[in-house]
Amino acid sequence: MKKMLAGLAVALLSLALCFSSALAEDEIVFGETALITGVFGFAGGELHEGIVDYFNYTNENGGIRGHKIKHVFEDCGYKVDCSVAAFKKIQAEYKPLFYSGDSTGFMKAINPELKATENTLMSGVSYATNLTDAATYTRSFIIGPSYSDQMAILLTHAANEQPGAKIAIVHSDSGFGNDPIKAAKVKAKELGLDLVEVITTKSGSVDVTTDVLKLRRKNPDYVLFHGYVLTPINEFMQQMRDLGLKTKFMGTYWSSSELMIMKGGPSADGYLGVMHLNYFDMEKSPGKEWDAMRAYNLKVHPDKASRPNFYMFGWFQGMVWAEAIGRTLDAGKPLTAENLRATINAIENWDTGGIASVPVTFRNNSIPVGRIFRANIAKGRYEPVSETITIN
Amino acid sequence: MRIADAVSSYSDDEAIFRTRTQRVWMGILLACLLAFPFVVSPYLLFLGCLIGIAVISATGLNILVGLTGQISLGQGAFMGVGAYTSVWLANQFALSLAVTLPLAGLLTALVGVIVGLPSLRVKGLYLAIATMAASVILHFVFVHWESVTAGNLGLNLQHAKLFGMELDSDFKLYFVIIPLALIAVTGARNLLRTRIGRAFIAVRDRDISAEVLGVNLLRYKLLSFGLSSFYAGCAGALWAYFFKVITPESFPLEVSIFYLAAIIVGGMGTILGPILGAAFMTLVPEMLKVLTLLLEPIIANAQVHLAPMKGVVFGILIVGFLLFEPHGLAEIWRKIQRFFRLWPFKT
């Protein structure tokens, strides 16, 4: 028995020693709480691969100004307590310069801890409006327009296309779904749009018949969806088309993915999505970085000829972090949270080589810029239909 | 080898620790708990605090489900009530944790008593559905009572204050959470030795017989709901101080299922069960993560490819317990104790 226990202890110790990875001095560490499992695993897995591929691509091309990237992550399946534990573990061991959070709840919960860390900054999958409060969230930022800004961009497009148009908003009854609604009502009024209906549904609800009848009575020119990925948007669109309504449908980032084209059905044709990134599949190349990303993806994942925009999100997030570090090093400044934060705030009209669909400018912890893309079901892709829309 | 425990009075027979060995081991455990935050990494300290909170809530649920036999799927929502109460009191009146914690517990106990009213007419699965419905109603309140809960945006909380000291780290909070967990467990253990505890067990074993024997079902069922909810409220308040932010999504139905699973895996109706169950349910997912990390050099990208398997393995472990040791981890622990008590004469 004793021999067995001793053997087991030796084996475990050897295993731990073999697999423990030392950190090279010039390495820059990025941390991530990944969303590979759980309810958002379908998006989180792609996002994670986007980050990993960008880091591998950068390392293969010499790293960031000669510094190799080390990426450490843990999957937490959208559970705040697990994410906090992962953050503490990674923080204790690696002290990463940047960390990707996996939910709004986590990013809010970790804020006091984050501010107490030596030098860690955080971005992540959240576009929550209150993360743009730069006074409270001094170490967090959003890699794109906040939900309120996304709604504002959609409303601005509607106002440009059809001044005084009748608008309806359909959103889920969740933190995610309710986030931009108050701001959207104010913005609609400011733009002279006629907000005729606001409908709240359960997330993923499919019985939308009564809500569709309400919309039929109001006959809006545009319906803005927020707080969903696909369902019940497809149900709304299908039933409204069946009733002969000519309404245009719009949606925010998470519902403007390729899923809408693949599973939205014929009624999704013409669906308008707000996007600060370009899509993986475009009719013509928007830039050199976009070409490089596609080539790298095909090189390391030959079986994945196409990618949803969640992958683009991961790649872009890695790019922003690397850009902030590169610019800070170029300025001869040490890599501290204050310097990195200042660098990010100073990013103005950054050309990402076609990864972002807009010139990237940071304001109040976010990129309040976007563009409208239209779903073309026949071609199986989104096409840009607006110029850059910036929200002040 | 110890072959028997000789007791010569009823008080000795009812004592929590009946032998010197038990007292020594308890002393060692307390010393380990005291030394724990000084020797472990922040990550393990975080897990230690999380287990402490889970132990309080699981112990509370065990009073209701394990001792009184009233099934509940409302523990997560009760924790939410405690969390919102403490945060609201702390934010509005700048009250210390010493005040907000008991108030959170008391208000949650009141809510628990109201939710427990259907237990007088329904039991078993019907009661589970009734408590689940209460959980949904409370979630609705968390979302829509915006003047108090700030709706979906949630509430932030500053560092807890206790006797003028700011509890601004897990290290300091540990010394609040673990003593409270010990008090909670001791309280539950003592409860078993009282008329109330015996009445709970009588209600669980056969409520009609208990009533015939003079146990007031209305009083004891509601008391059990109240006590269990008090524990949940305190655990929720500590959770809020620990994470410093609460939203309606912090306490979904899954939290209630988590605690129900914890007491089943640990061993319902025992004092040790909820402690072991809470530790098991908190630690196993973390240990599975470490395992996938260790497999990384053997299986390329193991963390990604094996991530979905963690849930499956976790589920299999729970089913395994139900099949092979339905009395839970507490029973396994008792078997180990028995083994060493008779060792080396019987193995």
Side-chain angles (χ1 to χ4, degrees):
Chain A
M1 182 73 173
K2 272 183 185 171
K3 276 184 185 172
M4 203 176 84
L5 282 173
L8 194 67
V10 169
L12 281 174
L13 193 66
S14 324
L15 203 67
L17 287 173
C18 286
F19 298 151
S20 64
S21 48
L23 190 62
E25 250 184 39
D26 61 343
E27 271 183 337
I28 288 172
V29 183
F30 293 147
E32 181 196 3
T33 307
L35 258 176
I36 299 163
T37 56
V39 285
F40 294 113
F42 67 94
E46 288 287 338
L47 197 147
H48 171 75
E49 280 198 9
I51 295 180
V52 171
D53 282 358
Y54 177 75
F55 292 154
N56 289 339
Y57 165 77
T58 306
N59 280 341
E60 285 174 25
N61 288 284
I64 310 170
R65 312 293 189 268
H67 294 272
K68 294 283 180 190
I69 298 169
K70 182 176 178 65
H71 177 223
V72 281
F73 70 94
E74 278 200 15
D75 168 55
C76 273
Y78 203 60
K79 291 181 186 135
V80 171
D81 50 354
C82 172
S83 304
V84 174
F87 176 83
K88 287 186 187 240
K89 191 155 79 173
I90 291 172
Q91 187 64 35
E93 204 169 345
Y94 298 101
K95 295 190 172 34
L97 279 179
F98 283 96
Y99 195 95
S100 177
D102 65 343
S103 67
T104 304
F106 166 63
M107 289 178 73
K108 283 183 184 174
I110 206 68
N111 190 42
E113 296 273 343
L114 183 67
K115 288 200 273 193
T117 62
E118 210 176 311
N119 278 317
T120 307
L121 291 177
M122 183 176 285
S123 58
V125 301
S126 177
Y127 292 104
T129 303
N130 50 359
L131 291 179
T132 59
D133 174 6
T136 306
Y137 296 95
T138 54
R139 292 279 190 96
S140 305
F141 57 99
I142 300 174
I143 304 278
S146 69
Y147 292 128
S148 293
D149 286 344
Q150 290 177 33
M151 290 293 265
I153 291 166
L154 289 168
L155 289 166
T156 305
H157 178 73
N160 290 345
E161 210 174 53
Q162 192 176 331
K166 284 196 285 182
I167 304 286
I169 295 173
V170 179
H171 68 99
S172 67
D173 191 12
S174 62
F176 166 34
N178 290 321
D179 179 295
I181 304 307
K182 279 181 191 163
K185 287 177 184 173
V186 173
K187 188 71 184 175
K189 198 174 176 186
E190 186 188 310
L191 291 168
L193 295 164
D194 182 13
L195 184 61
V196 293
E197 188 69 60
V198 177
I199 292 171
T200 310
T201 75
K202 283 190 176 302
S203 304
S205 157
V206 287
D207 184 13
V208 297
T209 317
T210 51
D211 293 325
V212 169
L213 291 174
K214 276 188 212 167
L215 291 173
R216 184 192 188 184
R217 280 195 291 276
K218 298 289 167 70
N219 192 17
D221 300 306
Y222 294 88
V223 174
L224 274 70
F225 294 101
H226 174 72
Y228 314 102
V229 175
L230 178 67
T231 311
I233 299 177
N234 48 351
E235 283 295 322
F236 269 101
M237 294 192 301
Q238 186 59 51
Q239 291 192 27
M240 287 177 75
R241 286 288 177 261
D242 288 348
L243 291 171
L245 295 170
K246 302 288 180 202
T247 307
K248 288 182 179 174
F249 304 114
M250 299 176 133
T252 47
Y253 175 81
W254 295 106
S255 60
S256 301
S257 76
E258 288 76 354
L259 269 180
M260 188 58 72
I261 288 183
M262 289 188 292
K263 299 192 174 171
S267 55
D269 195 40
Y271 177 87
L272 300 166
V274 57
M275 192 57 59
H276 55 293
L277 303 168
N278 276 313
Y279 285 88
F280 192 88
D281 292 307
M282 306 276 288
E283 201 150 36
K284 61 177 187 178
S285 164
K288 281 183 184 171
E289 280 296 327
W290 186 86
D291 293 334
M293 176 203 66
R294 281 180 62 95
Y296 188 79
N297 172 68
L298 280 176
K299 181 182 141 193
V300 293
H301 310 285
D303 55 324
K304 293 186 177 173
S306 184
R307 291 282 196 172
N309 60 343
F310 311 124
Y311 177 86
M312 300 287 295
F313 181 105
W315 186 282
F316 179 57
Q317 178 166 246
M319 269 186 92
V320 172
W321 293 354
E323 184 70 14
I325 287 172
R327 288 188 186 202
T328 308
L329 288 173
D330 288 346
K333 292 179 182 170
L335 296 175
T336 62
E338 287 72 28
N339 290 340
L340 288 168
R341 172 103 228 146
T343 306
I344 289 169
N345 284 338
I347 290 177
E348 185 111 19
N349 291 324
W350 170 38
D351 178 4
T352 59
I355 300 297
S357 63
V358 293
V360 174
T361 299
F362 274 90
R363 293 270 184 281
N364 292 329
N365 282 1
S366 68
I367 308 168
V369 191
R371 209 171 168 191
I372 306 296
F373 284 76
R374 182 183 178 279
N376 186 329
I377 300 296
K379 290 183 179 172
R381 63 165 67 103
Y382 284 91
E383 292 163 339
V385 291
S386 83
E387 293 305 313
T388 298
I389 299 173
T390 305
I391 302 301
N392 294 315
Chain B
M1 183 179 78
R2 204 172 79 238
I3 56 168
D5 301 327
V7 288
S8 54
S9 67
Y10 284 120
S11 60
D12 283 351
D13 195 38
E14 284 193 333
I16 293 178
F17 304 113
R18 292 168 54 170
T19 66
R20 190 167 170 271
T21 317
Q22 281 179 328
R23 282 190 285 274
V24 169
W25 278 111
M26 187 47 63
I28 292 171
L29 174 68
L30 289 177
C32 289
L33 286 175
L34 194 66
F36 183 76
F38 293 98
V39 293
V40 298
S41 68
Y43 163 65
L44 289 177
L45 186 60
F46 170 84
L47 289 181
C49 292
L50 211 55
I51 291 171
I53 295 169
V55 164
I56 297 172
S57 190
T59 302
L61 187 63
N62 187 49
I63 291 173
L64 183 64
V65 183
L67 297 184
T68 323
Q70 307 299 301
I71 194 160
S72 167
L73 282 172
Q75 196 74 349
F78 294 148
M79 284 180 72
V81 173
Y84 274 107
T85 308
S86 61
V87 174
W88 189 78
L89 288 171
N91 287 349
Q92 293 291 317
F93 307 108
L95 294 175
S96 128
L97 184 143
V99 181
T100 59
L101 191 80
L103 287 178
L106 287 172
L107 184 76
T108 314
L110 183 67
V111 174
V113 168
I114 295 165
V115 170
L117 284 171
S119 69
L120 305 172
R121 300 296 295 269
V122 295
K123 50 186 167 182
L125 279 176
Y126 297 93
L127 182 59
I129 297 297
T131 52
M132 194 174 82
S135 175
V136 173
I137 293 167
L138 286 171
H139 188 266
F140 180 87
V141 173
F142 298 156
V143 173
H144 294 283
W145 195 8
E146 290 192 10
S147 57
V148 171
T149 65
N152 283 302
L153 291 178
L155 293 169
N156 285 81
L157 182 62
Q158 296 304 311
H159 296 305
K161 280 188 183 145
L162 189 65
F163 308 124
M165 188 171 73
E166 197 165 70
L167 305 175
D168 55 359
S169 65
D170 292 356
F171 182 85
K172 290 178 183 170
L173 273 171
Y174 177 89
F175 289 102
V176 174
I177 292 169
I178 298 302
L180 284 172
L182 288 171
I183 292 169
V185 171
T186 311
R189 177 69 186 85
N190 266 319
L191 189 71
L192 276 176
R193 305 190 299 172
T194 63
R195 177 188 159 82
I196 297 170
R198 284 190 287 270
F200 285 170
I201 292 168
V203 171
R204 177 193 67 189
D205 290 347
R206 180 68 70 180
D207 54 357
I208 295 171
S209 306
E211 195 165 23
V212 169
L213 289 169
V215 173
N216 184 334
L217 289 187
L218 168 73
R219 185 177 165 204
Y220 285 104
K221 279 187 177 180
L222 293 186
L223 186 61
S224 182
F225 263 98
L227 270 173
S228 169
S229 309
F230 180 85
Y231 274 66
C234 291
L238 287 173
W239 196 96
Y241 279 113
F242 192 51
F243 285 98
K244 295 179 188 67
V245 63
I246 48 166
T247 69
E249 288 166 11
S250 304
F251 304 99
L253 189 63
E254 285 82 1
V255 175
S256 304
I257 294 167
F258 172 93
Y259 284 109
L260 207 52
I263 60 168
I264 291 170
V265 168
M268 270 200 291
T270 63
I271 294 302
L272 189 61
I275 302 170
L276 297 178
F280 177 89
M281 294 290 287
T282 309
L283 289 179
V284 168
E286 293 299 317
M287 287 161 76
L288 289 172
K289 274 200 287 188
V290 174
L291 189 67
T292 53
L293 198 64
L294 287 173
L295 290 171
E296 193 79 21
I298 302 163
I299 304 168
N301 231 351
Q303 262 186 294
V304 174
H305 296 315
L306 298 181
M309 292 308 294
K310 285 185 296 187
V312 176
V313 173
F314 192 32
I316 289 171
L317 279 174
I318 292 175
V319 173
F321 269 111
L322 296 177
L323 284 176
F324 300 110
E325 190 45 272
H327 296 295
L329 290 163
E331 184 58 26
I332 294 175
W333 177 246
R334 265 195 292 273
K335 282 179 182 168
I336 293 169
Q337 276 184 313
R338 274 200 292 273
F339 172 84
F340 281 105
R341 201 170 285 165
L342 299 172
W343 186 85
F345 297 103
K346 186 177 184 305
T347 55

